[in-house]
Amino acid sequence: MSVLKQTFYLRRPDIVARELLGKLLVRIYKGIRLSGFIVETEAYFGREDPASRAKRGGDLAKTMKGEVGVALIYGIHRQWLLNVVAHELNSIGAVLIRAIEPFEGIDIMKKLRKSHDIKNLTNGPGKLTKALAIDKRFHKVPLFLKNGDLRIEEGRKVRVCEIGTSFRINVSRDLSIPLRFYIKDNPFVSR
């Protein structure tokens, strides 16, 4: 499958978040392909977004304002979360990848997660990073390089009628529009 071009991410975070559904998140781990179809995302904007990491300033805010298509990795509750920087020109934004449907390298993912329950393997942002051995080393790494150890490739087509929306999860202050996108009835969605 071909890797998504950098220009894919040069749009509003909510548009990118919706269109990432069905794409294939790929991690080359010790020479082996681990992958899964993206089934759940959340969009984050700049300082006007009360739940955004950009609100706090520092490196994460600079990264969210910088080059699109690069990984934005930060830790929360002893887990790494994978985001991809996505925004229009001269703007700020990122998309959190919340869940994937395991596709390749499932046995290795199970070992990395120390779990044999496939339904619970990658159905959350911290679970999927652990299953794919993604950590802070990937912060600011481009996800649009065809030979990258972490990349996003074309995947399955997802029809508009298959996409559900809601407000973001575990966000105490949210924007007035739903910014969580997921594939309806997919067993790997986090909730």
Side-chain angles (χ1 to χ4, degrees), residues 143-154:
L143 302 179
F144 51 83
L145 301 178
K146 67 179 180 178
N147 294 319
D149 286 343
L150 185 61
R151 58 186 183 254
I152 301 176
E153 299 179 352
E154 290 291 345

Side-chain angles (χ1 to χ4, degrees), residues 13-82:
D14 53 339
I15 293 170
V16 174
R18 180 184 291 271
E19 292 190 13
L20 275 172
L21 295 176
K23 302 298 188 254
L24 193 65
L25 177 62
V26 177
R27 165 76 162 101
I28 306 302
Y29 177 75
K30 298 183 178 179
I32 299 168
R33 261 177 83 98
L34 310 180
S35 72
F37 295 101
I38 298 171
V39 297
E40 183 181 4
T41 59
E42 288 179 349
Y44 290 86
F45 290 87
R47 292 186 183 276
E48 75 281 7
D49 183 343
S52 176
R53 295 278 153 175
K55 198 150 183 71
R56 299 178 184 185
D59 177 64
L60 294 179
K62 286 179 190 168
T63 304
M64 284 181 75
K65 190 176 184 176
E67 182 180 19
V68 298
V70 303
L72 172 79
I73 309 251
Y74 61 87
I76 187 166
H77 307 302
R78 295 189 201 157
Q79 299 179 81
W80 296 112
L81 274 60
L82 170 64

Side-chain angles (χ1 to χ4, degrees), residues 64-114:
M64 284 181 75
K65 190 176 184 176
E67 182 180 19
V68 298
V70 303
L72 172 79
I73 309 251
Y74 61 87
I76 187 166
H77 307 302
R78 295 189 201 157
Q79 299 179 81
W80 296 112
L81 274 60
L82 170 64
N83 299 255
V84 56
V85 177
H87 55 73
E88 294 173 299
L89 202 59
N90 301 318
S91 194
I92 301 173
V95 175
L96 171 65
I97 299 176
R98 282 198 56 85
I100 62 172
E101 178 182 327
F103 180 58
E104 298 170 292
I106 295 171
D107 287 339
I108 293 171
M109 287 190 223
K110 286 178 177 178
K111 286 177 186 166
L112 288 166
R113 273 267 291 121
K114 298 181 175 103

Side-chain angles (χ1 to χ4, degrees), residues 1 9-10 26 48 92 111 118 120 138 144 153 160 185:
M1 290 187 212
Y9 306 100
L10 195 57
V26 177
E48 75 281 7
I92 301 173
K111 286 177 186 166
I118 192 164
N120 197 33
F138 288 97
F144 51 83
E153 299 179 352
V160 174
D185 302 319

